[in-house]
Amino acid sequence: MLKKQILAAAIYPLIVFPLALVWHLVLFKDRYMTFGYFAGEPNIPVGLVTMIIQGVVLAAMYPMFKLRHTGHARAFLFAGLLGLFFWTSHVLALVAKQNVPQAGTYIVMETAYLSLQFGLFALALGFIFRGTEQGSITPA
């Protein structure tokens, strides 16, 4: 199980880092500058370290997430739940803390980005942890 957790922790930044760079700094950089998303130049090394920490935490939590579902269904439920948490703390919190020009567009774009990020991670989790499902429990 530990090998699978290490693989999941490693795969997260391998998925998320290039996706974040391309989405925020190539495809839609001008849009994100308009939103005031960046105050100055982005600190890419700190962003990478952040994603590595997130990957370790998510990979450590995943084996504890047990429902009636298994395989990819379990992975998508986990990623959806954590993605929703990230969305509220990342997207809605920014709109709540500062005046984001075109806030509706920002929310739609970041929702699409996080859906892609956590969808890809769910696919990876489903493959990494396939066949290792232990007895499922019903949530309280």
Side-chain angles (χ1 to χ4, degrees):
M1 181 65 76
L2 182 60
K3 287 181 184 179
K4 291 180 183 279
Q5 286 178 286
I6 292 170
L7 180 57
I11 211 78
Y12 181 81
L14 290 175
I15 291 170
V16 176
F17 188 68
L19 177 63
L21 284 176
V22 169
W23 185 277
H24 295 101
L25 297 176
V26 177
L27 295 176
F28 304 111
K29 182 178 182 178
D30 292 340
R31 271 309 226 177
Y32 281 93
M33 296 300 274
T34 301
F35 298 144
Y37 190 76
F38 302 111
E41 288 296 313
N43 189 327
I44 293 172
V46 172
L48 177 59
V49 169
T50 300
M51 292 172 194
I52 291 169
I53 293 168
Q54 290 171 353
V56 169
V57 171
L58 292 171
M61 290 174 60
Y62 185 68
M64 296 180 237
F65 187 76
K66 299 187 187 304
L67 296 173
R68 292 182 189 168
H69 302 283
T70 60
H72 279 91
R74 176 180 168 225
F76 274 95
L77 283 169
F78 175 77
L81 182 64
L82 273 291
L84 179 61
F85 178 80
F86 273 66
W87 182 79
T88 61
S89 62
H90 172 78
V91 179
L92 293 185
L94 181 67
V95 173
K97 290 187 284 189
Q98 66 189 52
N99 182 17
V100 177
Q102 303 171 17
T105 303
Y106 167 75
I107 290 170
V108 168
M109 289 182 70
E110 278 299 279
T111 300
Y113 166 75
L114 287 171
S115 296
L116 185 57
Q117 171 182 326
F118 281 95
L120 291 171
F121 185 55
L123 285 173
L125 283 176
F127 284 114
I128 292 167
F129 286 92
R130 72 182 176 274
T132 60
E133 307 295 338
Q134 298 174 3
S136 61
I137 60 172
T138 304

